[in-house]
Amino acid sequence: QVQLVESGGGSVQAGGSLKLSCAASGDISSINIVAWYRPAPGNQRERERELVASISRGGTTNYAADVKGRFTIARDTALNTVYLQMNSLKPEDTAVYYCAAWIGVEGYWGQGTQVTVSS
């Protein structure tokens, strides 16, 4: 079992920055990948989320095309905490951002943190 707590959300103007944090507890040593998700555009249903960025235990990162170059995902060595630095924010980045940790095919989710970007 893994528990995740997100923090760092808030409201900023377009062009601004925010840094999200995802603090993990529990069976951290078994986590393979930690990722950030948000609802797909135009879709408010919680279960349909799109990948924003991910990082593996080995440090391999992956980004959605529309955030590449603006967002950076990073982790501490033990994957206790994963960060998402978001720069050059756009109104279309407004969403609830969820952190997820994967142990094999089993995913654990946080409660989400709201990011609001005004134009």
Side-chain angles (χ1 to χ4, degrees):
Q1 291 278 341
V2 173
Q3 296 79 42
L4 302 171
V5 177
E6 302 102 330
S7 61
S11 298
V12 294
Q13 290 191 323
S17 299
L18 283 173
K19 185 175 183 178
L20 307 183
S21 298
C22 174
S25 60
D27 191 12
I28 298 170
S29 62
S30 297
I31 296 173
N32 307 120
I33 293 174
V34 178
W36 289 94
Y37 291 82
R38 65 188 182 189
N43 192 326
Q44 298 304 311
R45 288 188 291 182
E46 238 185 53
R47 291 186 178 274
E48 297 192 18
R49 300 168 183 170
E50 62 178 8
L51 178 72
V52 176
S54 67
I55 187 164
S56 72
R57 177 168 293 279
T60 301
T61 58
N62 185 40
Y63 295 93
D66 59 346
V67 306
K68 196 173 292 186
R70 299 189 297 123
F71 292 9
T72 302
I73 190 168
R75 58 154 172 67
D76 64 10
T77 305
L79 274 181
N80 289 328
T81 306
V82 171
Y83 306 95
L84 185 67
Q85 177 67 47
M86 304 186 295
N87 299 327
S88 302
L89 282 161
K90 305 174 181 179
E92 50 264 45
D93 294 319
T94 295
V96 177
Y97 284 70
Y98 298 90
C99 178
W102 297 92
I103 299 177
V105 297
E106 189 163 4
Y108 299 88
W109 294 84
Q111 293 299 306
T113 185
Q114 176 71 46
V115 171
T116 303
V117 185
S118 58
S119 57

